[in-house]
């Protein structure tokens, strides 16, 4: 087993779907971080078999709705003085704004760049979102990467 130093004050992003950790890592900008952070890929999980984990030795201001959009199974543990002081369970947000781009070339958001890219959750079980301007459908989890 690999040991990574304990986090004294920071975040542990747990239960990331195996293989999706790098997407979350990059979205958070951790690939350019000036502080200690670790991406653990394919860790053993009793629930899912394998999972990814991100450990961050820093407190970050995170848009939890985007994390929920990427993977609604994610849990964020806030660590202070080496103890978990808060557990935040992600869920699919009702709306996401400026997270994904509409793929419809006729959508107003493509031609008018000041118009925000806004999508609303229309089917929680299928994880489907719809553009509020043109009704184009989008599935949660990929951040525009197909």
């Amino acid at each position: 087993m690999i040991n990574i130093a304990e986090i004294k004050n920071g975040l542990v992003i747990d239960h990331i779907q195996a293989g999706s950790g790098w997407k979350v890592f990059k979205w958070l900008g951790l690939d350019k971080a000036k502080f200690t952070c670790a991406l653990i890929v394919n860790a053993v999980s009793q629930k899912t078999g394998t999972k990814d984990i991100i450990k961050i030795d820093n407190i970050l201001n995170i848009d939890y709705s985007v994390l929920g959009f990427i993977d609604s199974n994610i849990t964020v543990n806030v660590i202070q003085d080496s103890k978990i002081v808060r557990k935040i369970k992600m869920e699919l947000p009702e709306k996401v704004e400026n997270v994904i781009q509409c793929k419809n070339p006729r959508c107003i958001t493509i031609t008018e760049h000041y118009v925000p890219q806004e999508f609303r959750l229309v089917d929680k079980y299928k994880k489907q979102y719809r553009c509020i301007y043109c009704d184009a459908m989008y599935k949660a989890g990929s951040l525009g990467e197909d």
Side-chain angles (χ1 to χ4, degrees), residues 91-106:
E91 55 187 49
L92 286 173
E94 288 298 316
K95 78 171 192 169
V96 288
E97 189 172 313
N98 296 325
V99 175
I100 52 177
Q101 286 189 328
C102 188
K103 295 178 182 176
N104 179 356
R106 295 184 180 180

Side-chain angles (χ1 to χ4, degrees), residues 69-109:
F69 175 79
I70 295 170
D71 184 346
S72 58
N73 294 315
I74 289 175
T75 303
V76 177
N77 297 314
V78 179
I79 313 293
Q80 290 179 345
D81 298 322
S82 301
K83 292 184 173 48
I84 297 174
V85 295
R86 186 171 170 211
K87 277 189 175 242
I88 306 164
K89 176 78 175 105
M90 298 301 107
E91 55 187 49
L92 286 173
E94 288 298 316
K95 78 171 192 169
V96 288
E97 189 172 313
N98 296 325
V99 175
I100 52 177
Q101 286 189 328
C102 188
K103 295 178 182 176
N104 179 356
R106 295 184 180 180
C107 184
I108 190 170
T109 60

Side-chain angles (χ1 to χ4, degrees), residues 13-28 30 39-43 50-54 66-67 69-74 127 140-143 145:
I13 303 172
D14 199 0
H15 305 290
I16 304 168
Q17 180 181 8
S20 296
W22 179 244
K23 185 185 331 179
V24 176
F25 198 84
K26 281 187 67 176
W27 176 77
L28 291 171
L30 297 174
L39 169 61
I40 303 158
V41 179
N42 294 322
T50 58
K51 65 181 179 180
D52 291 355
I53 304 168
I54 298 173
V66 176
L67 275 184
F69 175 79
I70 295 170
D71 184 346
S72 58
N73 294 315
I74 289 175
K127 299 180 179 183
S142 68
L143 279 183
E145 302 164 1

Side-chain angles (χ1 to χ4, degrees), residues 101-102 104 106-118 131 133:
Q101 286 189 328
C102 188
N104 179 356
R106 295 184 180 180
C107 184
I108 190 170
T109 60
I110 301 299
T111 58
E112 305 296 333
H113 298 288
Y114 63 89
V115 177
Q117 300 271 344
E118 189 173 330
C131 175
Y133 303 105

Side-chain angles (χ1 to χ4, degrees), residues 31-42:
D31 54 330
K32 297 172 181 68
K34 303 286 187 211
F35 46 84
T36 304
C37 52
L39 169 61
I40 303 158
V41 179
N42 294 322

